Amino acid sequence: MQFSESWLRTMVDPNMTSDELAHLLTMSGLEVEEVEPVAPPFSNVVVAEVLEVAKHPNADRLNVCQVNVGTGTMLNIVCGAPNVRAGMKVVCAMAGAILPPGEDGKPFEIKVGALRGVESQGMLCSARELKLSDEQGGLMDLPADAPVGQNFRDYYQLNDLKFTIKLTPNKADCLSVLGVAREVSALTGTALKVPTFQSVAATITDVLPVKVSAPDLCGRFAGRIIRGLNAKAQTPDWMKQRLERSGQRPISALVDISNYVMLELGRPTHVFDLSKIHGGLDVRWGKKGESLKLLNGNTVVIDEWIGVIADDKEIESLAGIMGGDATAVSLDTQDIYLEAAFWYPNAIQGRGRRFNFSTDAAHRFERGVDFATIVEHMERITALIVEICGQKEQTQVGPIDDHVVNLPKREAVSVRTARAVKVIGVPLTDEQIADIFTRLGLSFTHKDGVFSVTPPSYRFDIEIEEDLIEEIARVYGFENIPALPPVAASAMRIPPENTRSLFTIRRQLADADYQEVVNFSFVEQEWEADFAGNTNPIKLLNPIASQMSVMRSSMIGSLIANVRYNLNRKVSRIRLFEIGAIYLRNNVEQDGPLSVAGFDQPKRVAAIAYGSVAEEQWGMASRNVDYFDVKADLEALFAPQTLTFVKVEHPALHPGRSASILLNGEVIGFIGELHPRWQQKYDLPLAPVLFEVNASALQSVGVPSYKEISKFPAVTRDLALVVKQAVPMQDLMDAFISEKKYNPVCNILQVVVLFDEYRGKGLESDEKSLAFRFTLQDTQLTLQDDLVDAAMAAFVAAATTKHGAKLRA
């Protein structure tokens, strides 16, 4: 909402500066976004009169003018404007005047000088030269009653300011200068001066037949016929000035008057060319297949969701949004039909956006427009039309045809003083609240600390108790509410030692040289099929894009897309991780504070590595990252817990380079190299390695416990076992751990690691040799060879019994 301060002060003029007024409005919830002058600074510019115009002796396109500037001395001014004439009132910059900067950014000073041999003692100005307009129509032609010699800034009110207010959707009552003035009056106690006008008496009985067929669309419809107008009449300068300073471009007198009343009173109206209406009007919902060419030149298709005003032949207007081109007024219009109506907000909301445009009328109607003052506002616009476009003995005005069909019921809303005090935090009294409601023009009854308030017809934002509490707080003043911290019991909550936060996991991954990414939870349906084997993903009802139509059940697709994005920007080494939710079907799940019936939303931690294992450097040979590099990062992330890896077939991973991740025997995720099929499909020169695990498994950690450190030396023994190729190394490790657990002799085992694998000469083609290093130690005594030999024999026996292992010769 934009308006000029001078216009506002014609309705309410509080004793405060412009800055104070802007602060007051902002603190009441009407945020002032911008306050700017209506014109740039300039000086020594006055109203003048051209007395004589003669051709320049040395130039065909110049004139020499005798100009009266009210000083008693005529000025000789050379002028090239095509519209200069004797008797014309103009704007004159006298010698010494400083005009707004030109294209070079420097102020323009007027000096006495010669133009083609003739002295010029000033300059006659256009609106463009004073930076008041971009139009190049020659000199400003001022009214004949403009006082010669008066400072032009004072005459044209150029010391005015333009206020731009950012209104919240509930403050539709302030979408007019009267609405803002009403607020200022309530806030300051200054008297409100509502615009006054004389009602125009009807001189004819002509009435246009009107039928309201959709009472859920239109609650009240009023119209009036006016004949014998001069549509070519000029819009008065004062009206043009107010329109321009409110962001409206003057068009023609009839259109300008309609726009002016909308800005002044918040009342959108429409003016039809009466001669173009066929028969009567019907206010109804549209019909499928109908269309209408609008005033903006667009042709729109109508259906049952759109309200229209139609005559006996065709649709003439989109209800509450925009008029049709067929009945638009022009400069040749003589007879008009003036319409004002109350359109239900929910019948207008969203209709303009459907057609990809918005209008000032729709902006107001979809928020709610006063339904009780339609007749009074029609009288206002009628008075202006007759005053500006009327012709003596020709203009005829018909009666107002007012159809009251279905007006909203204004239900009383109750507010408790105690509740208002609790919410606002200020000890307000009944008397203070009563005063606030009185200043706001809200009628109320009061009993036992409870106010029953009936909203006025122009307030559509008062429906519940909290709405009234907001009004109390606004008028009381937000800046007057003390900024006190809330008083509540607070307790320091110690996080349990057996869990760690996701932030800690993020830091650990970042320390391991991974960078975090945040992706959408909705992905392409093709990703789900490729990377998760999910042919029935959870589909979105209203996706933001066609390629983001399903919820992810795995984070692989998003990470692959991140890798491709970086590769396309010439990044060759990529290490990324993401912590987020995936979405799975679960018929057992019930609705809860953080759950939705039928769906699981577990958190997962995923990471991907692509390219070289480290940045290129002289100290180590360059090689690409492999499965074991990422596996080492994962094990470090879970340390000191021990992970187990079991071969697995996964739709996204290489069949021979992938594994399930087990923790304490439970599958918590997977790790592996991307399948060659997807590497080729998604155009990746190298195969990335990735993992995805449950976040809950990573967050769970063991509580530290005391363990005695042995004072005695450790013994190391190496053991090479020959087994079949099909026997996994992990099976042998599991056999050793199991033997330690159940055989007391083997309890001295501390660590066992694989340090060598051999295939080739001396072994059968289906055999391999695995060499393990055992570290044995006791906390109570120095180990003797017989104890060590017994333990090693037990380990060999366990491997032989369970997996057919034999000692390598």
Side-chain angles (χ1 to χ4, degrees):
M1 175 64 189
Q2 182 176 304
F3 57 89
S4 71
E5 182 183 5
S6 63
W7 192 2
L8 177 66
R9 288 186 181 271
T10 62
M11 299 186 191
V12 60
D13 190 11
N15 185 21
M16 55 176 55
T17 65
S18 301
D19 289 341
E20 290 171 341
L21 179 59
H23 178 75
L24 175 76
L25 290 171
T26 299
M27 286 296 102
S28 68
L30 310 182
E31 181 185 352
V32 178
E33 279 193 305
E34 187 177 20
V35 178
E36 58 178 335
V38 298
F42 54 81
S43 61
N44 211 18
V45 178
V46 299
V47 176
E49 182 179 8
V50 178
L51 300 179
E52 296 178 12
V53 178
K55 284 292 182 182
H56 193 289
N58 302 320
D60 294 337
R61 296 187 179 182
L62 296 180
N63 295 299
V64 180
C65 306
Q66 297 297 312
V67 180
N68 175 20
V69 293
T71 61
T73 304
M74 299 300 106
L75 299 183
N76 195 67
I77 297 178
V78 177
C79 176
N83 65 331
V84 65
R85 68 182 187 278
M88 180 182 187
K89 294 289 182 69
V90 294
V91 182
C92 179
M94 299 188 293
I98 305 295
L99 299 188
E103 294 181 358
D104 58 359
K106 298 179 180 178
F108 185 60
E109 183 178 357
I110 303 299
K111 300 178 181 178
V112 175
L115 290 176
R116 294 290 185 91
V118 177
E119 184 179 67
S120 183
Q121 299 169 326
M123 185 177 89
L124 304 184
C125 301
S126 67
R128 183 181 180 87
E129 288 161 339
L130 296 176
K131 296 293 188 290
L132 302 180
S133 171
D134 292 330
E135 296 180 3
Q136 301 183 14
L139 301 179
M140 290 187 69
D141 194 350
L142 302 181
D145 60 354
V148 174
Q150 184 178 2
N151 185 303
F152 180 66
R153 293 192 71 90
D154 296 335
Y155 171 73
Y156 223 63
Q157 296 184 338
L158 295 181
N159 296 317
D160 195 5
L161 296 173
K162 287 188 292 187
F163 279 59
T164 302
I165 292 180
K166 182 179 180 181
L167 292 173
T168 51
N170 63 314
K171 290 302 293 176
D173 59 300
C174 291
L175 284 168
S176 64
V177 178
L178 176 61
V180 177
R182 195 187 286 126
E183 286 290 306
V184 174
S185 175
L187 294 168
T188 62
T190 307
L192 177 66
K193 304 171 188 174
V194 179
T196 58
F197 51 88
Q198 291 289 333
S199 296
V200 179
T203 56
I204 56 175
T205 59
D206 296 7
V207 174
L208 188 71
V210 172
K211 179 175 68 172
V212 179
S213 301
D216 55 338
L217 165 68
C218 178
R220 186 175 184 180
F221 189 95
R224 160 176 266 176
I225 291 175
I226 305 177
R227 299 184 183 276
L229 295 175
N230 175 22
K232 297 179 182 178
Q234 290 295 313
T235 304
D237 285 343
W238 63 267
M239 183 177 287
K240 284 184 180 180
Q241 187 182 98
R242 288 181 174 178
L243 288 171
E244 289 170 345
R245 294 175 187 182
S246 300
Q248 294 279 352
R249 180 174 60 88
I251 299 173
S252 65
L254 290 173
V255 176
D256 293 345
I257 293 169
S258 178
N259 287 336
Y260 178 81
V261 173
M262 178 182 68
L263 292 171
E264 180 186 51
L265 305 175
R267 169 68 58 198
T269 56
H270 187 64
V271 182
F272 295 87
D273 189 322
L274 183 62
S275 65
K276 299 176 182 177
I277 297 177
H278 310 93
L281 296 179
D282 185 11
V283 181
R284 59 174 174 82
W285 291 106
K287 299 174 183 177
K288 194 169 184 178
E290 291 182 318
S291 62
L292 171 66
K293 184 178 181 182
L294 299 171
L295 288 171
N296 60 8
N298 295 344
T299 299
V300 296
V301 178
I302 309 298
D303 59 21
E304 298 86 349
W305 194 58
I306 307 297
V308 300
I309 301 175
D311 61 17
D312 294 345
K313 180 180 178 182
E314 59 188 354
I315 295 175
E316 302 297 359
S317 174
L318 287 184
I321 300 174
M322 183 180 288
D325 181 68
T327 54
V329 294
S330 66
L331 296 181
D332 297 323
T333 297
Q334 294 182 340
D335 304 333
I336 66 168
Y337 181 72
L338 178 63
E339 169 262 313
F342 168 71
W343 308 101
Y344 273 92
N346 58 3
I348 305 299
Q349 290 165 359
R351 274 67 174 180
R353 287 186 291 277
R354 172 175 173 175
F355 299 122
N356 295 320
F357 65 82
S358 178
T359 64
D360 290 330
H363 185 76
R364 288 162 172 79
F365 280 127
E366 66 185 5
R367 288 161 172 78
V369 173
D370 188 358
F371 56 82
T373 54
I374 288 179
V375 172
E376 291 84 348
H377 292 174
M378 283 200 73
E379 292 286 7
R380 170 61 167 164
I381 192 171
T382 301
L384 289 171
I385 289 174
V386 172
E387 177 187 343
I388 296 169
C389 301
Q391 302 180 90
K392 288 184 178 180
E393 299 180 0
Q394 295 185 37
T395 299
Q396 298 174 313
V397 179
I400 294 178
D401 183 26
D402 186 19
H403 297 262
V404 180
V405 181
N406 179 28
L407 295 184
K409 294 181 173 60
R410 310 308 278 169
E411 302 291 345
V413 180
S414 297
V415 60
R416 296 160 290 173
T417 302
R419 176 65 177 165
V421 169
K422 184 176 181 180
V423 172
I424 300 173
V426 174
L428 296 166
T429 64
D430 287 0
E431 290 73 20
Q432 288 176 292
I433 293 176
D435 177 61
I436 289 172
F437 287 158
T438 301
R439 287 157 59 187
L440 286 171
L442 304 177
S443 60
F444 64 90
T445 59
H446 172 230
K447 184 178 180 182
D448 299 331
V450 178
F451 289 85
S452 182
V453 179
T454 302
S457 57
Y458 54 83
R459 295 296 297 269
F460 287 79
D461 59 318
I462 299 177
E463 296 179 337
I464 58 177
E465 184 177 31
E466 284 70 16
D467 295 331
L468 290 172
I469 294 175
E470 179 189 1
E471 293 300 296
I472 296 168
R474 283 194 322 106
V475 178
Y476 180 80
F478 293 127
E479 73 275 25
N480 296 324
I481 300 174
L484 299 175
V487 178
S490 61
M492 296 293 291
R493 300 195 176 192
I494 302 173
E497 284 188 87
N498 63 345
T499 62
R500 58 179 168 178
S501 70
L502 292 175
F503 294 103
T504 300
I505 297 169
R506 285 186 172 94
R507 287 193 293 270
Q508 287 183 272
L509 283 164
D511 289 344
D513 200 21
Y514 291 85
Q515 296 190 46
E516 185 175 11
V517 293
V518 179
N519 293 303
F520 284 119
S521 294
F522 21 89
V523 297
E524 296 186 33
Q525 187 167 352
E526 189 177 16
W527 293 0
E528 281 295 293
D530 291 349
F531 301 123
N534 184 6
T535 58
N536 184 28
I538 300 169
K539 294 185 178 180
L540 291 165
L541 294 176
N542 186 24
I544 63 172
S546 59
Q547 71 273 19
M548 306 174 81
S549 59
V550 301
M551 302 302 291
R552 65 184 180 187
S553 63
S554 172
M555 304 169 81
I556 298 176
S558 300
L559 292 176
I560 295 297
N562 296 145
V563 169
R564 294 186 64 199
Y565 181 90
N566 282 273
L567 287 175
N568 291 338
R569 284 150 184 81
K570 307 302 181 184
V571 180
S572 59
R573 180 178 182 270
I574 305 162
R575 295 168 72 86
L576 305 171
F577 79 91
E578 181 177 9
I579 299 177
I582 62 170
Y583 302 85
L584 309 170
R585 298 184 188 276
N586 182 357
N587 295 330
V588 180
E589 190 69 43
Q590 300 295 319
D591 278 327
L594 297 176
S595 63
V596 178
F599 301 98
D600 266 343
Q601 305 174 63
K603 292 272 189 182
R604 303 299 286 267
V605 178
I608 192 167
Y610 177 94
S612 59
V613 69
E615 295 288 356
E616 189 173 5
Q617 54 159 304
W618 66 271
M620 62 182 293
S622 177
R623 68 174 179 85
N624 291 326
V625 68
D626 60 21
Y627 170 90
F628 298 101
D629 295 315
V630 177
K631 177 173 177 282
D633 291 336
L634 183 63
E635 290 177 322
L637 197 61
F638 274 91
Q641 300 181 92
T642 303
L643 298 177
T644 304
F645 298 87
V646 178
K647 182 179 178 181
V648 71
E649 294 290 331
H650 191 282
L653 303 179
H654 192 295
R657 300 172 188 171
S658 57
S660 287
I661 305 167
L662 283 75
L663 179 65
N664 300 325
E666 181 184 350
V667 177
I668 61 168
F670 55 83
I671 183 173
E673 186 178 289
L674 188 67
H675 198 292
R677 183 192 305 122
W678 310 135
Q679 179 187 346
Q680 181 179 9
K681 177 178 179 179
Y682 291 94
D683 197 21
L684 299 175
L686 302 173
V689 184
L690 54 93
F691 68 78
E692 183 177 314
V693 296
N694 294 335
S696 58
L698 261 175
Q699 289 183 275
S700 177
V701 294
V703 178
S705 60
Y706 169 76
K707 188 174 182 181
E708 183 182 2
I709 298 175
S710 178
K711 300 176 182 178
F712 303 98
V715 175
T716 302
R717 292 286 177 91
D718 292 345
L719 182 65
L721 298 174
V722 177
V723 295
K724 295 296 183 180
Q725 293 272 16
V727 178
M729 177 275 295
Q730 187 64 50
D731 287 357
L732 292 175
M733 294 288 284
D734 291 342
F736 299 148
I737 299 302
S738 177
E739 190 67 16
K740 174 187 176 182
K741 183 177 180 181
Y742 296 107
N743 189 342
V745 175
C746 299
N747 196 40
I748 58 176
L749 176 64
Q750 301 298 319
V751 179
V752 57
V753 296
L754 175 74
F755 70 88
D756 184 53
E757 179 186 9
Y758 173 75
R759 293 181 176 89
K761 187 177 179 180
L763 298 177
E764 298 296 331
S765 60
D766 63 343
E767 292 180 334
K768 62 182 176 181
S769 171
L770 300 176
F772 297 90
R773 178 159 294 157
F774 292 77
T775 301
L776 310 170
Q777 191 178 31
D778 196 327
T779 60
Q780 304 300 321
L781 50 82
T782 299
L783 291 179
Q784 302 298 321
D785 287 344
D786 57 341
L787 289 176
V788 174
D789 291 341
M792 293 304 297
F795 290 134
V796 172
T800 301
T801 302
K802 295 180 179 179
H803 303 293
K806 59 184 178 180
L807 285 172
R808 182 178 171 186

